[in-house]
Amino acid sequence: MLSGHTDVVPVDGQDWNNNPFNVVEKDGRLYGRGTCDMKSFIAVALAYAPKFLERGLETPIHLAFSYDEEIGCIGVRRLIDVINGMAIKPKLCIVGEPTDMRVIIAHKGKTSYRCTVRGFEAHSSLAPHGVNAIEFAAELIAYMKIMARRIAKDGPFDPLFDVPHTTLHTGIVNGGTALNIVPKECYFEFEIRYLPDQRAETYLDKIEAFIRDELEPEMKLISDTAGFEITVKSAMPGLNINPGDDAVNFVKALAGQNDHAKVAFGTEAGLFQQSAGVPTVVCGPGSINQAHKPNEFIEKSQIVKCEAFMDRLMEQVCGIS
């Protein structure tokens, strides 16, 4: 099964030199939103579909293209339901995320959260009589930053990952109505990207204990309604396949390499492996360093490598022409 997601991240607020939705070829590169992440892989897979058919398939090739991967791997879950209803499942899955055509056997899991802080409104001249939702949110964000620093220093570590430890990150903060009003509400969104043999809940438990034991008692001295609420926005399991698995060895042969690696960014691979029971490896053209950026591009040499990958796959699944 050759798998990829069809959606892309927005271009709003990014400074592009050209229309991001028109591919521009320049200096051995293809520029455009999604050229790297990960539509070049999908394009190569589709271009090879008639070649597979013409050559004569002896092993079926499944094309699994999903939607809304960028907002939490939403669409692929319906696709996995279909796979689980099939009498015969694919023998293995190759997710073509940008890995510079390296064979990736593991990636981190990710859980995204929304934290809502309820304060108690007051005139700013009477600030001690209110509960400042922004300030209490800031205290929790600072606590999570301390947690992140401690993890970066003490681990646990997996040296095969490009970022070898679990990370916590706050990406959105919003609150308040006017400077002279103690804000009654603030919300922020954060994520935990964890090593695949760990659990996000391990870190969330510590966060919730800090809220319960340190922050909310102080808030509730002023207002019983003040407090925190944390909800899960999305969750994506990590990938961790044995490096000696037949699927890994097969993909290594297609990629023409003997080594493997692990990456910090998440993909749908963990869902295919854990929810559909399909051995899954990540391998695709392009560099994650170019993904989600203005003037996103892929080196044409990466597409050539992907085509060579497909040629070797064709030798394995098709009859003799």
Side-chain angles (χ1 to χ4, degrees):
M1 181 164 67
L2 304 177
S3 177
H5 63 88
T6 60
D7 60 316
V8 296
V9 296
V11 299
D12 301 346
Q14 294 187 337
D15 185 16
W16 284 74
N17 293 338
N18 303 286
N19 184 333
F21 297 107
N22 289 336
V23 175
V24 174
E25 182 178 354
K26 183 180 179 182
D27 299 329
R29 297 171 173 175
L30 298 178
Y31 289 86
R33 173 56 86 225
T35 51
C36 167
D37 182 21
M38 51 174 294
K39 311 310 167 282
S40 291
F41 177 83
I42 290 178
V44 172
L46 290 174
Y48 268 75
K51 296 182 181 182
F52 287 132
L53 293 175
E54 183 180 356
R55 179 79 175 264
L57 279 170
E58 293 184 346
T59 300
I61 294 289
H62 301 260
L63 301 178
F65 301 150
S66 66
Y67 62 89
D68 284 348
E69 186 267 356
E70 297 289 5
I71 59 173
C73 297
I74 304 300
V76 73
R77 299 170 197 270
R78 290 180 59 194
L79 193 154
I80 287 173
D81 288 341
V82 172
I83 293 173
N84 284 331
M86 296 168 61
I88 300 175
K89 293 182 181 181
K91 188 175 183 180
L92 65 91
C93 174
I94 301 167
V95 176
E97 291 276 9
T99 69
D100 292 306
M101 294 306 299
R102 296 178 302 153
V103 177
I104 303 301
I105 65 167
H107 67 65
K108 292 180 179 179
K110 172 189 170 184
T111 305
S112 301
Y113 302 91
R114 180 184 174 109
C115 180
T116 301
V117 187
R118 300 181 306 277
F120 184 71
E121 214 167 37
H123 192 282
S124 61
S125 65
L126 302 174
H129 299 298
V131 178
N132 191 315
I134 291 177
E135 290 180 355
F136 277 97
E139 284 195 61
L140 182 58
I141 292 170
Y143 174 78
M144 291 192 295
K145 182 60 180 177
I146 292 170
M147 284 182 61
R149 290 194 183 108
R150 187 180 303 119
I151 296 166
K153 178 182 177 183
D154 299 333
F157 301 105
D158 185 333
L160 282 183
F161 279 96
D162 43 3
V163 178
H165 52 79
T166 294
T167 59
L168 286 79
H169 158 76
T170 301
I172 296 175
V173 181
N174 199 321
T177 54
L179 183 57
N180 60 354
I181 301 174
V182 174
K184 68 177 180 180
E185 185 172 285
C186 177
Y187 78 86
F188 63 93
E189 295 182 4
F190 67 97
E191 67 175 28
I192 302 172
R193 291 184 184 262
Y194 54 94
L195 298 176
D197 59 351
Q198 296 188 301
R199 299 170 63 251
E201 290 78 9
T202 300
Y203 301 96
L204 183 64
D205 288 348
K206 295 178 181 179
I207 292 168
E208 291 182 329
F210 180 74
I211 292 172
R212 182 180 61 251
D213 299 337
E214 301 293 334
L215 298 181
E216 286 190 333
E218 181 180 350
M219 301 168 78
K220 292 183 181 299
L221 287 174
I222 296 175
S223 172
D224 288 337
T225 62
F228 286 76
E229 181 182 5
I230 297 178
T231 57
V232 175
K233 285 194 64 185
S234 64
M236 174 179 61
L239 170 71
N240 196 12
I241 186 170
N242 189 310
D245 192 283
D246 289 344
V248 176
N249 292 327
F250 184 78
V251 176
K252 284 182 177 180
L254 300 183
Q257 56 189 261
N258 295 319
D259 59 346
H260 55 262
K262 302 178 181 181
V263 293
F265 65 86
T267 78
E268 295 171 336
L271 285 163
F272 283 121
Q273 183 191 42
Q274 295 188 28
S275 299
V278 178
T280 304
V281 179
V282 184
C283 183
S287 169
I288 194 65
N289 293 330
Q290 305 306 325
H292 298 188
K293 292 182 178 180
N295 300 316
E296 177 182 346
F297 69 84
I298 187 170
E299 300 281 355
K300 291 178 66 178
S301 60
Q302 284 286 305
I303 296 176
V304 172
K305 287 184 178 181
C306 188
E307 290 173 335
F309 182 99
M310 293 295 180
D311 285 333
R312 297 186 189 104
L313 177 60
M314 189 157 52
E315 293 292 330
Q316 295 291 327
V317 300
C318 293
I320 300 175
S321 59

